[in-house]
Amino acid sequence: MIRRSFLTVLAFAAALPFTAWAQEPLKVVATTGMIADAARQVGGDQVDVKGLMGPGVDPHAYRQTRSDIVAMTRADLVLWHGLYLEAQMEGFFEDLSRKRNVVAVAEGIDKSKLRAHDDYADKYDPHVWMSPTLWADVVAQVQNALTEARPEAADTFAQNAKAHLAELEALTTYADQVLATVPESNRMLVTAHDAFGYFGASYGYEVMGIQGISTQSEAGLNRIGELVDTLVDRQISAVFVESSVSDRSMRALIEGAAAKGHNVMIGGELYSDAMGEPGTYEGTYVGMLDHNITSIARALGAEAPARGMNGKLSAGF
Ligand code: ZN
């Protein structure tokens, strides 16, 4: 027995120089699924990424759990969004950044590209992932953060980032094409909260949310009444539910319109602030946006392919 463990120790010692040379993957923790995906795309096999917020999780309301804290204090790099998206975690990240390598990736976007919002004084709309062009800036920030944490892998990160940015360009081209085939009078997006401002600005759609930029404000009855009138006056026939927000106020809206003799259908479920299930196409950034773009285009009367730009979307949505 003694002899055996001695041999094990010897074997372990012999393996050590190789292990040290090959380097363990960089331990990265990211708040949203979208940032975790960017870190995986750019980091490749140089990183081991843990995303804190899974499918259906609302980042405006999320608070760090005990196991999140453990993961973040052990990580080589922590990536969060910033722009007040993770509103409940601001103080936590402020503290953590004093002792750990913490980067708010959306804060690095040129402020002239960001949108303001009436009910969000002195702050910007944080939902930048809704525009693939703007998201490319976030991918560049992720690349910078990874490169700083592991400079010797700079070339690998640059190559991976370039390949992912090409995918984002293809996504932009697809979005431009299919969203432009929606009849102009139908280019209106009614959703549970104001997550689609950048989407609307990029593709010329009017967007209306029942709740404001954050899901943390209750939708007032006045707001629902106002939107019911808009749906009826403008004969809007489809509204969209969101995977990370309760559909309660959306149902109130549909019932309100029905009471006035106007039928509204649910045009589909969109991924607003969280991606789909891990391991599925919709559980990647490109798949998430492909799903949204394709669902919106089809529900509003355009000819978009049922399985999306890559033929990979789940059937039957
Ligand atoms: Zn949101």
Side-chain angles (χ1 to χ4, degrees), residues 96-171:
L96 190 68
S97 64
R98 291 198 196 100
K99 22 187 202 248
R100 309 294 303 174
N101 187 10
V102 176
V103 180
V105 287
E107 295 281 354
I109 299 175
D110 185 341
K111 297 291 184 280
S112 67
K113 297 182 182 177
L114 297 178
R115 292 169 55 82
H117 192 277
D118 290 346
D119 59 28
Y120 223 43
D122 307 323
K123 294 190 185 74
Y124 297 99
D125 179 348
H127 303 88
V128 294
W129 56 90
M130 290 299 177
S131 152
T133 324
L134 213 44
W135 189 246
D137 289 2
V138 172
V139 171
Q141 296 294 325
V142 170
Q143 184 194 343
N144 288 345
L146 289 174
T147 305
E148 234 165 73
R150 182 164 285 183
E152 58 276 30
D155 289 349
T156 306
F157 296 148
Q159 271 169 20
N160 292 347
K162 198 175 163 200
H164 188 47
L165 292 176
E167 285 185 309
L168 300 188
E169 260 176 51
L171 188 62

Side-chain angles (χ1 to χ4, degrees), residues 58-60 85 126-127 129 193-195 212-215 242 245 272-273:
D58 176 359
H60 302 284
L85 177 70
H127 303 88
W129 56 90
H193 87 297
D194 270 333
I213 286 280
S214 169
T215 55
E242 298 176 26
V245 184
S272 52
D273 293 0

